[in-house]
Amino acid sequence: MNCLEGPGKTCGPLASEEELVSACQLEKEEENEGEEEEEEEDEEDLDPDLDPDLEEEENDLGDPAVLGAVHNTQRALLSSPGVKAPGMLGMSLASLHFLWQTLDYLSPIPFWPTFPSTSSPAQHFGPRLPSPDPTLFCSLLTSWPPRFSHLTQLHPRHQRILQQQQHSQTPREPHFLLTTLLRKCQWWEYYQKLEKKQADEELLGRRNRVESLKLVTPYIPKAEAYESVVRIEGSLGQVAVSTCFSPRRAIDAVPHGTQEQDIEAASSQRLRVLYRIEKMFLQLLEIEEGWKYRPPPPCFSEQQSNQVEKLFQTLKTQEQNNLEEAADGFLQVLSVRKGKALVARLLPFLPQDQAVTILLAITHHLPLLVRRDVADQALQMLFKPLGKCISHLTLHELLQGLQGLTLLPPGSSERPVTVVLQNQFGISLLYALLSHGEQLVSLHSSLEEPNSDHTAWTDMVVLIAWEIAQMPTASLAEPLAFPSNLLPLFCHHVDKQLVQQLEARMEFAWIY
Amino acid sequence: MLFYSFFKSLVGKDVVVELKNDLSICGTLHSYLNIKLTDISVTDPEKYPHMLSVKNCFIRGSVVRYVQLPADEVDTQLLQDAARKEALQQKQ
C-alpha cells in the first residue's frame, strides 16, 4: 500500500486527497458556470439507491452550498475529459479504495476524525496537523472490518449498507466511492480550517481559557449496578428506574445496603443522636453570635455564661437520667463528625474545670473513639482546642486520665495504648499529655519529695516508652505536633538501649 | 434565600452539572437556578459526542440532578451554620 512507504509527510492516499480537495475548491468557483446541463445524464449512472442517502447525509453536514459544489465537482470530474482528475483517478483507484475503506470506518461518527480521549478537539488537532493521517490510516489497517462500540448509533440505511459491504467484499461502485470520498474531503477541509482559526486565536491570546485549570471533581464510579432506564423485552419505550427522590449515589452521607433488624435499630439510634446534636448546635450558634462582637472569653455576661452552662449540661447528661447512659450518649455524640465539630467549637467557651472534664473523658475513652473514627478521620479538629486545655491539668488528673490506657484489660494481652499509638490524633494527644506531665514534674521536682504520684508517673512513662519501642515503625502514626521535651523525658527514665530504639522510631515517624 | 446567595458566590467558578439523564457537563457558572454554563466540556465525551462543538449552554433548572462544586471554593462550616439559621427562621 502506498501509505506505508517512507516517512514522508504526504503519502499516496493523502496526496490524492489533497489534490481532490483542491480540485473541489477549483470546482466551487466554477459552480455557477453552466455545466449542469451537460451532466444530467450522469445522474442515471449513479446508484439510484444511494441518491436519497446522499441527500440525507447532506442534512448531516449542513452546508447545502458546499454540497452542491461537491455534487457538481463529482459530475465534472467524471464527465469532463480536460480535467486532470480522471487521470489521477485511474492512477490510484486502489489506494482510493483503501482510503474509502478506512474513511468508512470513521463514518458512523458525525465528526471526523474523532479522538475519544479529548475533551476539546481544538487542543489536539493543532499540534497534530503535520502528519495525522498516515498514522491514522496505518493503524486502521488492522482494524478492518470495523468494530463499532455498542454505543454507536448508525442511521438504519447506513447500517444496512455497511452490513452489505461486510458480507460481500465485492468491488465497490466507483462513483459511490468518489462521492463519499469527496464529501469527506470537504468536511475534513472545513474542519481543518476551523481548527486553524482556533489555533490562531489561541496564539493571539484570546482563548486563554484553555490554559486555565479545569475543575477536577471526583466522578463517583458507578460501582453498584446502576441502570438508569429499564427496557422491557418487546416494548417500545423505556422506564426510568432512578427517580428524583432516589438518584444515583454520589456521596456517602447515608449508609446504603441491606437493612436488617439490628441495623435498623442502629440507624434510628444514629438519627436520634444527630437530632440531639442539631439542637445543641442551635444553642452553640446563639453563644457564638453573642460573642462575635465582644472580647474573647472568659469575659462573659451572665446570660452568656448561662447559655454555655446549659449547653454543657445538655452535652454531659444527654437528657438521660442514668449516669452510664449519659456517658454513653456523650460518646455517641463524639462518634459522629458533627458531634466532634460541636465539641471542638464549644471547648473555647467552657470554664476551665468543665473543659478539663471533657478532656479527661476523651482521654479515658480514647481507644474507643479512635476505633470509631477510622472512617471519618475527623478527630484532628479536636486537637487544637484540647491542646489548650491540657496546660490546665494537674499531675494527678493527668495520671487519672492516662491510667486507663496502660492497664491490661482482662482477657487481652494488648494494652489500649497500642491502638492509640497507631492513630494520628491518638499519638498526638498522648505526646502532648506526656510533654505536659514532664513539664509539671520538672517544675516540682526540686520542691517536693518524691511521692506516689511521681512513682506512678515514672512507671507510666516507662510503660509507654516500652510500648512505642515494641511497635513496628510502619504502624506508628505521625503526630500532628512533636513536643521537644519528649526525648529528654524518655532518656531520663529509660535505659540507653531503649532510648536508641525510641529515637529511631520517633524521629523516623516525625521526619517522615 | 440561602440558595440564591450561595449560588451567587459561585458565579464564575467551575462546576460540574449532572442532569437527570445522566449527562455530566463541566463548565463555568454564568447564571443559576436555570443554569447557564460557559466553556463547557462533557465529562464522558465518548458517550455524548454530540456536545463536542458546544461552547456555552443553557440548562433548564428542573432537569438538574446534582451540581458538583469545587471543594476549596466552599466554606463548609459557614454553609452549615447558615443552613441551620435558615432552617430555624423557616420554622418560626
Side-chain angles (χ1 to χ4, degrees), chain A residues 176-221:
Chain A
F176 175 54
L177 240 183
L178 199 57
T179 316
T180 42
L181 180 64
L182 284 171
R183 184 155 300 112
K184 277 152 189 167
C185 291
Q186 208 62 35
W187 177 255
W188 173 232
E189 183 202 17
Y190 164 75
Y191 214 98
Q192 281 209 348
K193 272 199 204 147
L194 187 67
E195 298 314 323
K196 190 163 175 285
K197 196 175 76 174
Q198 282 176 342
D200 288 342
E201 273 186 50
E202 245 184 75
L203 285 171
L204 288 170
R206 267 176 239 150
R207 292 182 78 240
N208 48 9
R209 171 76 163 75
V210 177
E211 274 79 41
S212 67
L213 291 166
K214 285 273 193 173
L215 172 70
V216 176
T217 2
Y219 181 75
I220 311 288

Side-chain angles (χ1 to χ4, degrees), chain B residues 6-70:
Chain B
F6 176 68
F7 269 110
K8 198 163 172 187
S9 72
L10 283 179
V11 169
K13 310 280 188 291
D14 272 0
V15 294
V16 176
V17 179
E18 180 174 324
L19 308 182
K20 286 175 182 167
N21 65 358
D22 287 342
L23 174 62
S24 285
I25 307 176
C26 170
T28 313
L29 189 67
H30 181 270
S31 71
Y32 43 92
L33 297 192
N34 281 328
I35 297 184
K36 271 197 196 167
L37 297 175
T38 56
D39 287 326
I40 66 166
S41 68
V42 178
T43 315
D44 191 8
E46 279 189 38
K47 205 174 167 201
Y48 304 103
H50 50 280
M51 301 285 289
L52 276 173
S53 65
V54 180
K55 292 292 173 225
N56 307 328
C57 74
F58 174 93
I59 302 169
R60 184 188 162 102
S62 65
V63 304
V64 172
R65 181 189 284 156
Y66 295 129
V67 177
Q68 294 170 6
L69 319 165

